[in-house]
Amino acid sequence: MTINGIGVSPGIAIGKAHLLRKQEAALSGVVLLNEADIAIETDKFNNAVALSVQEVEAMISNYDQSQGNEGLEILETHIELLSDPQISEDVTGKISKEKKNVNDALIEVIADAVQLFKNMDDEYLSARAADVQDIGNRLLRNLSFSAPTHAPHYETDTIIIAEDLTPSDTISMDTTHVVGFATQAGGRTSHAAIIARSRGIPAIVGCGVTLMNIKNGDQLILDGQSGDIIINPAQEIVKQYHVKRENWLKKNHLLRSLKDTPATTPDGINIKLFANIGNANDMEQAISFGAEGSGLLRTELLFMGRDALPGEDEQFEFYKAVALKAKGKPVIVRTLDIGGDKQLPYFNFPTEQNPFLGYRAIRICLDRPDIFITQLKAILRASAFGQLKIMFPMISNIQEVRAAKVILQQAKDELTKAGITFDKNIPVGIMIEIPSAAITADLLAKEVDFFSIGTNDLCQYTLAVDRMNEQIKDLYDPYNPGVLRLIAYVIEQGHKNNVEVGMCGELASDSKATLLLLGMGLTEFSMSATAIPEIKNIIINSLLVAKEIHQRVMEMDSSALITAYLQEITL
Amino acid sequence: MITKDYIITAAEGMHARPATNLVKLTKNYSSLISLKKGERTVKLSSLMNILSLGIKGGETVSIIIDGEDETSAIIAIDAFFEEELKHL
């Protein structure tokens, strides 16, 4: 049986289930009779605060720094919450005015505060409800002057199964024995999830009530990437996951050791490794994989799955969120790339014989300047919040670039007139994905600040192969000498004309191609975030033979020879 | 009394960590320091109150300081918003 939740901390854990059930605090309904009672209950509260602060301070002084700073910061926050004047005022107010005992006053104040946070529309802030509950539980426990609870002892290879874990449960978890955990509640930004990631233990949250079908002692496999929990798996599956686990440990080690290392070749050239992203959350994840920016923000997501075009303000918020998450790192925003295989329910596309050769991307935008200028204004406004660049897709000739720039200028003029700030020198670039654009890269270079090679479409158009067609998928081959020559030419013309050249197609994340592309002189690779560590590893260890590889490949006349050669040298 | 507006440049908004540091910072001053977002004003001495404002990246908040050491407090708070909240 398999249960699926939200994988929040990648890795594979294999072990035995240990169920944690928490005790709910109950209201007593006691009514205080006189001032003396009120004084006693207020004292109890102040004592509980003092004891709780001492406990957390002890956790701070025993904190193992090798587990990352996240836990420490959370504990500091808990100290502030425990001694928070507002909580104190609310609790003592309930005691003195509503004549409630400290137990009931505290339960009610914490419940209100938890609800307040849960209702916030911000995912991060609503997850802070768990912190408030956590300090509330600690205070309640300390009301009864019971001895502080010690972290329980677990058998080796324990997987904790719980309705929810408080941040302090997670911080004090004994990871020499606990290899992973899964909870019924929780989200990606809960502190339990953050701690799990920083401590490197696989974790799954938000599994729902079915999680409680798991019994103590069940054998479990927990995949913190996919969010799958397999209960009492067959021996075969356990074996497969042991192999998966080994691989993951190796890869994770690589990822962690390389995250903050710049991607510099042995001969000292800095290579920019960017991520292809679809929204602000992707940007955040990309940075955690070591991305130095985004070479492709697909804006289609914003236009898909809805009934009408998004307005300027809504688009602005979307681009602004990405710019803020990028924290000053560059983000290349690709203007609307719909049509082809990407349809919109509210936009009437003509039925076409050849949608990939039809009305799509920049062709639509130039035909419908109303849609285009709305998007451009939104991007420009967001450029005040980060380092954004604008990129036009599906350019086939220089006139299209000029026409798009005229509309961009119009968008700038309108914003200037309205007194809205934006980056006046926002860089403008184009996708190189149509062969005519690649072949005229020298001409196009005069009009733009950067090129980004889209290898997927470039390959499909150069080879006249529909990449969705199963029958001819073998012909779809980015290692075709014709495609490689076009790529090399674009990079060369970029260098000659001082135009930055990047690549955002799949070839950029193909480890077989990395040295070849470096040899061609490519200095910016944009790919899915998870591919960055592997590509970075190749770049850092790349030999000066990259140029030589380029020479050799150019002499070859078939993709079979080329891929065999590249395979051989990457081994 | 000093009132000053700040734009929250950190993408995540006013998170627990910077908010904790801000509460700690204000404890060094005897002035009454408040934080205002929209119509709501709260005392900066309470982390609960700051977090309950749900301050997001890009939003504007006002700091209101009233007391004897308000001029030195505003310098420290200025530095906090300049440095800490920018680089999270």
Side-chain angles (χ1 to χ4, degrees):
Chain A
M1 187 185 152
T2 303
I3 293 174
N4 189 265
I6 309 165
V8 289
S9 178
I12 309 277
I14 303 169
K16 284 209 159 30
H18 182 105
L19 269 68
L20 287 185
R21 289 194 185 275
K22 61 176 175 209
Q23 288 139 354
E24 287 289 328
L27 290 172
S28 64
V30 169
V31 179
L32 304 181
L33 297 176
N34 49 42
E35 288 301 315
D37 281 354
I38 290 173
I40 291 169
E41 294 300 304
T42 309
D43 264 3
K44 278 191 195 165
F45 175 71
N46 291 331
N47 272 321
V49 170
L51 275 173
S52 303
V53 169
Q54 277 174 26
E55 273 180 16
V56 179
E57 277 172 350
M59 285 172 81
I60 290 176
S61 52
N62 295 331
Y63 190 82
D64 177 2
Q65 291 278 354
S66 68
Q67 305 275 356
N69 276 331
E70 285 85 348
L72 209 52
E73 284 157 5
I74 291 165
L75 293 174
E76 302 262 351
T77 298
H78 283 196
I79 290 202
E80 281 308 322
L81 286 174
L82 284 167
S83 49
D84 192 277
Q86 189 64 50
I87 292 179
S88 170
E89 197 182 310
D90 292 349
V91 171
T92 52
K94 274 191 193 284
I95 294 172
S96 61
K97 294 192 193 91
E98 298 174 27
K99 309 278 185 273
K100 288 185 169 149
N101 73 359
V102 62
N103 176 71
D104 294 4
L106 190 55
I107 290 174
E108 288 180 13
V109 168
I110 295 298
D112 286 350
V114 165
Q115 204 50 48
L116 175 85
F117 279 101
K118 278 193 176 159
N119 289 344
M120 287 188 184
D121 59 358
D122 179 280
E123 192 193 358
Y124 171 87
L125 284 168
S126 66
R128 295 294 72 75
D131 292 284
V132 178
Q133 189 65 60
D134 193 352
I135 65 113
N137 293 349
R138 189 178 293 283
L139 287 169
L140 278 170
R141 201 177 58 236
N142 282 322
L143 280 180
S144 52
F145 300 100
S146 62
T149 52
H150 292 285
H153 176 77
Y154 297 116
E155 308 271 316
T156 36
D157 294 339
T158 293
I159 294 176
I160 302 278
I161 302 295
E163 280 170 47
D164 204 357
L165 286 174
T166 63
S168 46
D169 288 338
T170 328
I171 292 170
S172 55
M173 197 179 273
D174 164 23
T175 48
T176 53
H177 294 103
V178 176
V179 291
F181 68 81
T183 62
Q184 198 176 313
R188 180 161 286 282
T189 56
S190 64
H191 271 158
I194 294 169
I195 302 278
R197 281 196 290 275
S198 86
R199 299 184 72 172
I201 32 176
I204 301 176
V205 302
C207 300
V209 285
T210 50
L211 186 69
M212 289 304 158
N213 293 339
I214 295 174
K215 312 238 169 345
N216 264 322
D218 277 351
Q219 187 175 30
L220 301 179
I221 294 172
L222 196 138
D223 183 338
Q225 181 89 47
S226 67
D228 285 333
I229 304 164
I230 309 173
I231 306 166
N232 295 325
Q235 241 4 74
E236 296 289 292
I237 301 198
V238 176
K239 262 186 212 158
Q240 282 172 23
Y241 272 89
H242 271 293
V243 175
K244 254 190 158 176
R245 186 169 175 273
E246 285 304 309
N247 290 341
W248 182 80
L249 284 175
K250 268 187 227 151
K251 217 175 133 190
N252 187 46
H253 180 72
L254 184 70
L255 186 139
R256 281 172 173 253
S257 64
L258 287 180
K259 191 191 158 225
D260 299 316
T261 313
T264 307
T265 62
D267 48 343
I269 295 172
N270 270 317
I271 305 298
K272 290 180 203 153
L273 292 183
F274 288 172
N276 296 343
I277 61 171
N279 56 37
N281 281 345
D282 289 356
M283 187 71 240
E284 194 173 21
Q285 199 214 6
I287 290 176
S288 75
F289 278 93
E292 292 162 80
S294 170
L296 173 64
L297 167 63
R298 299 186 179 92
T299 60
E300 294 79 64
L301 269 183
L302 182 60
F303 290 76
M304 290 157 93
R306 50 186 299 141
D307 319 320
L309 283 165
E312 183 185 315
D313 285 342
E314 187 184 346
Q315 290 194 47
F316 162 65
E317 292 297 337
F318 180 88
Y319 306 133
K320 185 176 100 174
V322 176
L324 288 169
K325 286 281 187 206
K327 300 179 183 184
K329 294 182 168 71
V331 175
I332 296 177
V333 185
R334 180 175 70 186
T335 58
L336 192 54
D337 188 12
I338 44 164
D341 55 339
K342 287 172 267 182
Q343 300 286 326
L344 300 179
Y346 51 87
F347 193 89
N348 209 3
F349 288 101
T351 317
E352 294 178 307
Q353 292 281 343
N354 269 317
F356 277 103
L357 304 181
Y359 186 62
R360 58 176 291 204
I362 195 73
R363 299 168 182 182
I364 297 178
C365 289
L366 293 177
D367 183 50
R368 288 288 304 273
D370 54 320
I371 296 175
F372 196 33
I373 200 162
T374 304
Q375 182 174 37
L376 291 174
K377 280 163 77 176
I379 298 170
L380 285 168
R381 282 168 62 189
S383 70
F385 296 86
Q387 196 190 331
L388 298 187
K389 304 181 184 191
I390 294 178
M391 174 163 76
F392 305 127
M394 283 290 287
I395 293 293
S396 65
N397 62 51
I398 201 164
Q399 284 70 33
E400 284 166 341
V401 184
R402 290 183 182 142
K405 284 170 71 182
V406 167
I407 299 175
L408 178 64
Q409 189 55 48
Q410 196 187 330
K412 287 182 176 178
D413 292 346
E414 286 180 25
L415 291 181
T416 308
K417 224 175 270 170
I420 296 169
T421 50
F422 61 92
D423 178 2
K424 293 194 166 51
N425 300 312
I426 192 165
V428 175
I430 54 172
M431 291 276 292
I432 302 284
E433 52 191 335
I434 296 179
S436 62
I439 292 164
T440 56
D442 56 327
L443 302 174
L444 291 165
K446 313 264 186 296
E447 287 289 335
V448 295
D449 302 307
F450 65 91
F451 291 150
S452 183
I453 305 172
T455 53
N456 303 358
D457 272 339
L458 185 62
C459 186
Q460 139 164 303
Y461 293 136
T462 305
L463 302 176
V465 173
D466 177 356
R467 58 187 161 108
M468 306 293 179
N469 189 330
E470 277 294 307
Q471 280 179 296
I472 51 170
K473 66 172 194 288
D474 289 347
L475 283 175
Y476 177 82
D477 180 4
Y479 292 99
N480 176 291
V483 177
L484 293 180
R485 274 162 196 253
L486 283 180
I487 293 171
Y489 180 72
V490 172
I491 297 169
E492 181 198 322
Q493 287 305 320
H495 284 305
K496 268 192 191 157
N497 294 283
N498 254 335
V499 165
E500 280 187 74
V501 184
M503 177 177 286
C504 62
E506 264 159 50
L507 200 60
S509 61
D510 186 339
S511 56
K512 281 204 301 295
T514 310
L515 290 176
L516 170 64
L517 295 171
L518 279 179
M520 289 179 179
L522 189 72
T523 53
E524 185 214 295
F525 294 65
S526 194
M527 63 196 80
S528 74
T530 49
I532 290 176
E534 193 188 357
I535 300 299
K536 192 189 271 185
N537 192 35
I538 294 174
I539 290 169
I540 291 172
N541 298 308
S542 70
L543 304 166
L544 296 167
V545 295
K547 294 266 173 207
E548 195 188 312
I549 292 169
H550 172 205
Q551 288 308 321
R552 291 275 304 273
V553 167
M554 289 298 121
E555 288 156 17
M556 297 179 189
D557 66 356
S558 86
S559 61
L561 272 175
I562 292 170
T563 44
Y565 168 67
L566 293 175
Q567 192 87 55
E568 181 196 309
I569 55 169
T570 39
L571 285 177
Chain B
M1 194 175 78
I2 300 175
T3 304
K4 191 162 177 186
D5 290 350
Y6 295 94
I7 295 177
I8 307 296
T9 47
E12 323 48 17
M14 183 71 95
H15 269 197
R17 178 165 51 116
T20 301
N21 293 339
L22 190 56
V23 171
K24 282 187 182 163
L25 178 84
T26 57
K27 282 183 182 165
N28 300 329
Y29 301 92
S30 65
S31 296
L32 177 65
I33 307 177
S34 325
L35 179 67
K36 184 166 178 264
K37 186 192 124 179
E39 293 304 302
R40 278 191 65 202
T41 305
V42 299
K43 284 182 203 152
L44 255 192
S45 57
S46 166
L47 179 59
M48 269 294 296
N49 286 344
I50 299 177
L51 292 178
S52 73
L53 289 179
I55 299 164
K56 295 177 189 159
E59 288 186 337
T60 305
V61 297
S62 316
I63 293 279
I64 302 143
I65 314 178
D66 194 9
E68 279 178 12
D69 53 4
E70 58 186 32
T71 41
S72 48
I74 191 69
I75 292 169
I77 288 174
D78 253 351
F80 173 84
F81 278 98
E82 278 296 313
E83 292 307 314
E84 181 145 5
L85 264 183
K86 212 175 261 177
H87 313 285
L88 284 176

